[in-house]
Structures are given as structure tokens and as C-alpha cells.
Amino acid sequence: MASKKTKRNKFFAALWLLIFLILVIVFLVKKDDFIANLKSTNFFERVTGSTPEFIQNYEVKEKPNKTSGLVEVEETPAPGKSEIQTNGILDLKQGQKDFVEAAKTDEDEYEEDVTVPPPQTENPVEEIAAPKVEKPKPAQTMNVKLFFVQVDSDGNVNRKSVARAIAKNDSPLTSTIRALVAGPTETEKNCMSLIPEGTRLLGASVRDGIAALNFSEEFEFNTIGAEGYRAQLMQIVFTATEFATVESVQFLIEGKHKDYIGSGEDVWMWIGSPYTRSSFN
């Protein structure tokens, strides 16, 4: 029993010795770290109130940095190299920025200044026809019959009718009588008018088949005499009664009713009542 207890005590003693040796070895290996920790944490000052002098004066050795076996060379840039590289990068970026802005400006100017023509189609080009110039329409005319006179070799005055085309208007009777008063044209040969020169038609109206024709004072005097007065009245009556609405003619001088025209008793002509074609039979 006693031998077993002795063996146990020896085992524990050997175990404690082993542990002590391990601690000593660890202390020797990690001595610097251990002392540094005690010094940095002020362990003894907190526990006992003062730090041992050997710990306070102990200098911790710096451990060399572990390397990969290669010699590390600190590269010192050449003077101005870093600045040149930096400036080069900045200049490159600035150049790219300026290029982009210039491209945008050119694009904006192109869009503003240039007008894109519409797309051309494949349709054949149509010939532009020249504007048609419309010819003026000829004035509308109407055919009327005018009565002039013709003097034969014996001195007799006879009626002579002439067909003429005159401009058509809203007052055909007025236009026809004025054409008669103006006399025959150059193409209307072998006829003449005995209506006094300078006579003017001042107005015309038709009512109940009677055409009231108002002449100027020149119509009142005929230099040829009685045959001339009779001829001028005959010319007016036969021309006016060619219209279906006119049966007789009432003569007026300057808008007034007169009983006679002429310059004396022998050559006076009655105009106080309307004349018809039968008045000259």
C-alpha cells in the first residue's frame, strides 16, 4: 500500500517537473513578449504597487520582418516621374473630355445648321405643264337692222336697210338708235343718213308699245329741207319698230314735247304725236 502511494507521489512530482520545464522553455522562447506584456500592462504596479526595476529597464528587441526570401528593394521614383505620369493621365482624361464635348458641339451645330432634304421617291418626275393662257372670250353681239337712205338719179330719196352686228347689252334699243345716228360705216356703201350732224340720243324708254326717244337740239334743224326732215324721222321710226316691243315712236327734243321741228312754215314737221311705219306711206 505504501509502495503504491510512493509511486504516485513520484509520478506527480515528475509531472510537475515536466510542466515546470515546459513553462521555463516557453518563458525563454517568449520571454520578450512576456516581459513586454507585463511592462505595457503595468501588471506589478497594479498588483503590488510598484514595477520591478529589471522589467522597467528591460528593452524589447525588435524582431526582423519575415520575408519571402527575396530582397525587397524600395523603388524611389525619379524626380518628376510621378508628376509626369499623373499629369499625363489627367491630360489624357481632359483630352477625352474635350473631344467628347467638341463632338457634341459639332453634332448640335450640324443639327441646327443643316437641313436634311426629304427622302427622294422613285416616282417619275412629272412635267410641269405651262399655265394655260385663256384667250379672251369674244364680246357677245346681236344683229340689228338699220335704215339709211339712198338717192337715185332722179333725186328721189329711198329707204335702204343694212344689217349690222353690235355689242349686246341690257339696252338694245338705245344702242341700235345710237348706231343709226352715227351713220353708215365704210363697208356699208351706196347709203347715207339724213339725220342732222351732231345729233345725240339723250335717252330712250318703251311703254305700251310707244318708244319715247329724246334727242338733242341738233335733231330739230335739217339743212336739206322738208325732204330731209321726213327722211330723218323715217330712219328713226323704221329702225326702232324692228323691235317687237315697239309699235310707234314719240319724238322729244331735250326732254320736252314739241309740236313741230323746222325753221319755217314751209318746212315745219309735225312731231306732236307718235309716228308709225304707216305714217310714211
Side-chain angles (χ1 to χ4, degrees), residues 32 84 134 139 144 150-151 159 185-186 217 228 236 270:
D32 292 335
I84 293 173
E134 295 184 359
V144 296
Q150 186 178 34
V151 180
R159 290 190 305 271
T185 63
E186 294 181 356
E217 61 182 358
I236 300 296
W270 172 261

Side-chain angles (χ1 to χ4, degrees), residues 23-249:
L23 291 176
V24 171
I25 294 170
V26 171
F27 177 76
L28 292 175
V29 174
K30 298 292 185 178
K31 180 179 67 173
D32 292 335
D33 294 338
F34 183 71
I35 295 175
N37 289 331
L38 292 176
K39 183 177 179 180
S40 62
T41 59
N42 296 324
F43 176 76
F44 289 102
E45 187 174 357
R46 292 180 181 179
V47 175
T48 62
S50 62
T51 302
E53 187 175 355
F54 78 93
I55 293 177
Q56 188 174 3
N57 296 330
Y58 183 80
E59 293 181 3
V60 180
K61 297 181 180 180
E62 295 181 0
K63 295 181 180 180
N65 295 330
K66 294 182 179 180
T67 63
S68 60
L70 300 176
V71 178
E72 296 182 0
V73 179
E74 182 179 359
E75 184 178 354
T76 303
K81 182 178 180 181
S82 176
E83 182 179 357
I84 293 173
Q85 291 178 350
T86 303
N87 292 338
I89 295 172
L90 293 177
D91 292 342
L92 179 60
K93 291 182 179 180
Q94 184 64 34
Q96 292 176 349
K97 182 177 180 181
D98 294 341
F99 177 78
V100 172
E101 291 180 354
K104 289 183 178 180
T105 303
D106 293 340
E107 183 179 357
D108 294 340
E109 292 179 356
Y110 178 80
E111 291 179 354
E112 292 178 358
D113 298 338
V114 179
T115 303
V116 180
Q120 297 181 353
T121 59
E122 297 181 357
N123 294 333
V125 179
E126 296 182 358
E127 295 183 357
I128 301 175
K132 294 182 179 179
V133 179
E134 295 184 359
K135 295 181 179 180
K137 295 180 180 180
Q140 294 182 348
T141 60
M142 60 180 180
N143 293 322
V144 296
K145 185 180 288 188
L146 306 180
F147 285 84
F148 296 106
V149 296
Q150 186 178 34
V151 180
D152 58 19
S153 58
D154 296 332
N156 298 320
V157 177
N158 302 315
R159 290 190 305 271
K160 182 175 177 62
S161 64
V162 174
R164 186 189 296 182
I166 63 174
K168 188 176 183 180
N169 54 44
D170 296 334
S171 303
L173 176 61
T174 301
S175 299
T176 301
I177 299 301
R178 284 178 176 171
L180 175 68
V181 172
T185 63
E186 294 181 356
T187 59
E188 297 166 347
K189 298 179 179 180
N190 299 323
C191 59
M192 60 183 298
S193 176
L194 293 183
I195 298 175
E197 187 176 355
T199 299
R200 293 174 293 115
L201 177 66
L202 303 179
S205 62
V206 179
R207 183 176 181 181
D208 298 332
I210 301 175
L213 303 180
N214 182 24
F215 291 95
S216 62
E217 61 182 358
E218 288 83 2
F219 187 77
E220 191 174 358
F221 304 100
N222 197 305
T223 58
I224 296 176
E227 195 65 31
Y229 283 111
R230 183 175 183 278
Q232 73 182 64
L233 297 180
M234 180 269 299
Q235 286 183 240
I236 300 296
V237 171
F238 273 79
T239 300
T241 53
E242 280 291 314
F243 290 90
T245 57
V246 178
E247 296 177 359
S248 61
V249 175

